[in-house]
Amino acid sequence: DGIDVPGLVDDLRTAESILRSCCATSNVRLLGLRSAVLPLLAYASTCREPVDLVLWAPVLDGRELVAGWREQHRRQLDELGRYLRAGTRSDDDELLGFVLSRRLLDGLEALQADKLVLPAGSRIQLAQWQPSPGTDAFVRAQRDAGVLIELLQLESVDAPDWDHPGQFDTQLFPRRA
């Protein structure tokens, strides 16, 4: 059936449970990098107890995330010559050379971080290079719900060019596990 958001949420729940039992601690801090923030927030929003998260360069809008992946895929196929044979076409379930579950893409597109409210008393450390209206809306929604947020503003000149379609070796994009 492939990977989907509910499966990722279940995986995160299991991983946190294992960490708590292996480390004999109740204090577990979970890290979400870029696009992994959305499934992490989907998980955290289902928790009954406060959570402790670090969100690094978070992607908070699922529609923008998937649209960006699709545009990068299109540019690599049609403009930049990622593939050696001219006219290479991918199947509908391929994105950047990986077969992805349609349910995963649909589930990610539906996620909007400012609609995912964490339990009161949760803590978030959010590191970002560029502030955005989406980040502001997310921070407001969480603070209104009683979540403590620490913002770490990184120097924008240091931001990596994550999505440059010509830098195939340095990109972050969905991968099959």
Side-chain angles (χ1 to χ4, degrees):
D1 289 339
I3 299 171
D4 61 10
V5 172
L8 293 173
V9 168
D10 288 343
D11 291 347
L12 286 163
R13 187 176 325 284
T14 301
E16 185 179 25
S17 175
I18 290 170
L19 281 171
R20 286 184 191 283
S21 65
C22 288
C23 299
T25 183
S26 60
N27 185 21
V28 172
R29 178 175 262 192
L30 301 175
L31 169 66
L33 302 171
R34 295 199 25 91
S35 59
V37 165
L38 286 169
L40 179 59
L41 290 172
Y43 161 68
S45 70
T46 67
C47 293
R48 291 190 180 121
E49 298 297 318
V51 295
D52 193 359
L53 306 178
V54 175
L55 309 180
W56 190 269
V59 177
L60 300 170
D61 183 324
R63 288 182 307 253
E64 287 180 15
L65 170 69
V66 174
W69 284 343
R70 287 196 168 118
E71 175 60 15
Q72 186 177 2
H73 179 82
R74 184 198 65 74
R75 290 186 63 202
Q76 288 181 1
L77 277 178
D78 299 337
E79 296 172 16
L80 298 171
R82 177 176 181 143
Y83 301 98
L84 298 177
R85 284 174 281 155
T88 298
R89 292 288 165 238
S90 61
D91 293 331
D92 289 340
D93 62 351
E94 287 183 80
L95 193 55
L96 299 166
F98 296 86
V99 176
L100 296 177
S101 162
R102 179 79 231 165
R103 290 188 340 219
L104 174 62
L105 293 176
D106 290 345
L108 288 172
E109 281 181 311
L111 292 175
Q112 300 300 310
D114 61 328
K115 308 286 189 264
L116 299 169
V117 179
L118 307 188
S122 293
R123 295 182 335 152
I124 296 175
Q125 186 173 37
L126 190 151
Q128 63 181 354
W129 279 282
Q130 296 285 24
S132 72
T135 304
D136 295 342
F138 170 73
V139 168
R140 262 191 319 279
Q142 298 308 319
R143 286 184 172 154
D144 289 348
V147 174
L148 175 66
I149 297 191
E150 176 188 351
L151 290 173
L152 175 60
Q153 189 62 49
L154 305 170
E155 294 291 328
S156 60
V157 296
D158 294 332
D161 196 5
W162 304 103
D163 299 318
H164 189 286
Q167 295 176 340
F168 308 135
D169 297 335
T170 62
Q171 296 166 345
L172 295 183
F173 46 75
R175 297 182 180 273
R176 272 183 104 172

